[in-house]
Amino acid sequence: MIDGDVFVSPRHLASTTGIGDPALAPLIDLGWDLHHDDLGNAYASPSDRKVRLGYLPEGEDDGLWRINAYRDPFGPPVWGVCFSDHTPTEFVTAFTTALATAYQQGPDGYLARPASGSDEHDPFLAVVPLLKQGWEIDRPRWGVFAVQAPDGLAGLEFTTGDLDPEAELTTRDARWQLWAGKSIDRPVWHATASTDTPVALLTAVTQCVADPAPLPRWREDTFSYINGMAQLTPILPSAPPAPTPLDVQRALASRRPAALPAVSVPRWSTTSRPALPGPRR
């Protein structure tokens, strides 16, 4: 059953579904610990605490999802990713699903550093799914490589040069920034990733963004799509399946008149004797 009554296209103009469970599920299925604070924020991590996810509806800013990975659980993060509160839930789920796979591969998976020219870890690989769907290369300013959606309402930026590692984890001044809306300066939603975020995790997100299939949403939940920009198409109820020969046979049988019960008709027997009258009084 489709969870929605309209399709939103293009999918980067959808927004959050308002439910965090789908994005948490891939990690919880691995047995990661999940706990909540007194405000209703949720935190997930494996037993070694080398990856930590925060789902922060009551956080201090619009960073709803914050995911960090560590080489030493007591040291600084190796990489960090943030998704804002209006990011389509499907994009976050694509990331956490890829993260679950990478974590099962060990540090060589979830701590794999990007490497230019590598067959598997070249940062450019994360851009390829978007280019295949017609996103255009752009140079918005010096030191920034970007691609923009055909409708001009979404973009992905890669900043070159040296960046402040702490700022990458706490602000939008990160190596990667994905956004949707009329302007990157005031996006409807955005996602950031720091320099050493594994390319496989980034590519999982861009593949999901590039998917041409629309996303289902409820029309009345206007927070779940960018109103006035997104194209909404009603989801028509699916046609009932064609009846099978057995269905036809049962339907015909149900229309036949019920057989009348046999009526017992008394018959006189030539051998039976009439009842004798009783004695007179």
Side-chain angles (χ1 to χ4, degrees):
M1 180 178 179
I2 299 176
D3 189 13
D5 58 6
V6 293
F7 281 124
V8 177
S9 60
R11 57 172 42 204
H12 56 257
L13 296 182
S15 183
T16 178
T17 61
I19 301 174
D21 291 352
L24 288 169
L27 305 177
I28 302 306
D29 289 346
L30 289 184
W32 287 27
D33 298 328
L34 178 67
H35 66 277
H36 300 78
D37 62 19
D38 295 337
L39 298 176
N41 299 312
Y43 304 88
S45 61
S47 58
D48 61 10
R49 299 296 187 267
K50 289 188 176 181
V51 183
R52 301 171 195 170
L53 176 148
Y55 174 65
L56 311 171
E58 300 300 327
E60 297 179 354
D61 54 26
D62 64 353
L64 180 61
W65 299 89
R66 292 190 179 275
I67 306 102
N68 296 325
Y70 304 78
R71 187 167 284 108
D72 178 348
F74 299 101
V78 174
W79 58 259
V81 168
C82 175
F83 296 93
S84 72
D85 52 1
H86 287 289
T87 304
T89 308
E90 292 84 353
F91 301 169
V92 186
T93 303
F95 183 90
T96 57
T97 300
L99 176 58
T101 299
Y103 182 77
Q104 291 176 293
Q105 297 170 353
D108 290 342
Y110 67 88
L111 295 179
R113 297 185 61 182
S116 296
S118 169
D119 291 340
E120 297 182 2
H121 308 297
D122 192 315
F124 185 72
L125 295 174
V127 182
V128 172
L130 301 173
L131 294 177
K132 288 182 175 179
Q133 290 301 319
W135 288 45
E136 298 180 353
I137 295 176
D138 188 19
R139 291 283 186 177
R141 55 194 179 278
W142 184 86
V144 174
F145 170 85
V147 292
Q148 192 172 56
D151 61 3
L153 296 176
L156 174 67
E157 291 195 352
F158 176 85
T159 301
T160 62
D162 296 332
L163 298 177
D164 181 346
E166 184 176 353
E168 284 198 83
L169 299 174
T170 57
T171 72
R172 290 175 59 193
D173 295 329
R175 184 71 63 191
W176 297 89
Q177 183 169 182
L178 180 65
W179 59 276
K182 293 183 178 180
S183 168
I184 190 174
D185 297 322
R186 299 185 64 183
V188 176
W189 64 261
H190 68 272
T192 60
S194 67
T195 298
D196 286 335
T197 305
V199 172
L201 306 185
L202 298 170
T203 304
V205 177
T206 56
Q207 285 177 337
C208 189
V209 175
D211 189 334
L215 294 176
R217 293 292 188 269
W218 296 101
R219 184 186 294 272
E220 65 179 12
D221 294 338
T222 55
F223 66 85
S224 68
Y225 54 90
I226 302 179
N227 201 7
M229 300 183 197
Q231 179 179 347
L232 305 182
T233 305
I235 297 176
L236 301 178
S238 57
T244 66
L246 182 58
D247 293 331
V248 174
Q249 183 179 357
R250 288 173 175 171
L252 292 175
S254 66
R255 296 176 184 174
R256 293 173 183 168
L260 295 176
V263 178
S264 177
V265 179
R267 296 179 180 275
W268 288 103
S269 171
T270 57
T271 59
S272 60
R273 295 181 180 180
L276 297 176
R280 295 177 181 270
R281 292 183 179 180

